[in-house]
Amino acid sequence: MSNQIIHPDGWAPAKGYANGVLSADGVLYVGGQIGWTAEQVFEAHDFIGQMEQTLRNILAVVEAAGGSAADITRLTWFVKSKKTYLAHQAEVGQAYRKILGRNFPAMSMLVVADLIEDEALLEIEATAHISKG
């Protein structure tokens, strides 16, 4: 089996990238997700709202590959403002648990100067291991 492109049903087409790639050994690589909807529209303009949507997007890709939140093994966060993140840490934890439960994978966070989509306040990429049996 070669790599399989994962694209949740109903999502607008990805242009120049894949939302997810599932390898033959069950490793799912979720491309950087941002806080827009399946239609690529930003409904939230605040950090927590975009974070929740970003995590829902990651979960949608994982579920489209046959997995669940418990299968996520790594998250890499890219945030535009360290100050905003730190000011909302309690809300971050609460929002995170609401979407992904109490699964806490290996994580890294990087503060970046900007993201490609001007409205995006953060981007998160993920890795998951989808069991085949």
Side-chain angles (χ1 to χ4, degrees):
M1 173 179 137
S2 61
N3 293 335
Q4 177 185 357
I5 301 298
I6 304 298
H7 188 82
D9 290 338
W11 278 26
K15 297 176 183 166
Y17 63 94
N19 285 298
V21 177
L22 182 61
S23 68
D25 64 356
V27 177
L28 174 66
Y29 302 94
V30 180
Q33 298 295 308
I34 57 177
W36 62 17
T37 64
E39 298 81 26
Q40 298 178 352
V41 173
F42 285 94
E43 292 180 350
H45 302 282
D46 64 295
F47 186 84
I48 296 299
Q50 284 195 20
M51 186 197 111
E52 287 182 353
Q53 183 63 55
T54 300
L55 294 174
R56 282 194 294 272
N57 293 346
I58 289 168
L59 187 57
V61 175
V62 171
E63 289 175 341
S68 69
D71 297 316
I72 298 170
T73 57
R74 182 190 59 82
L75 294 173
T76 303
W77 298 54
F78 304 89
V79 298
K80 288 169 71 169
S81 171
K82 176 181 174 180
K83 182 177 179 180
T84 299
Y85 172 79
L86 292 174
H88 293 91
Q89 275 190 303
E91 296 164 275
V92 165
Q94 184 178 32
Y96 178 94
R97 289 185 301 277
K98 181 170 79 172
I99 309 296
L100 297 181
R102 293 204 166 272
N103 177 52
F104 300 106
M107 290 191 216
S108 297
M109 180 169 295
L110 303 153
V111 178
V112 297
D114 210 350
L115 297 166
I116 297 299
E117 293 296 328
D118 289 336
E119 289 185 68
L121 301 176
L122 73 157
E123 183 168 332
I124 305 173
E125 63 181 24
T127 305
H129 192 273
I130 311 298
S131 298
K132 299 292 182 184

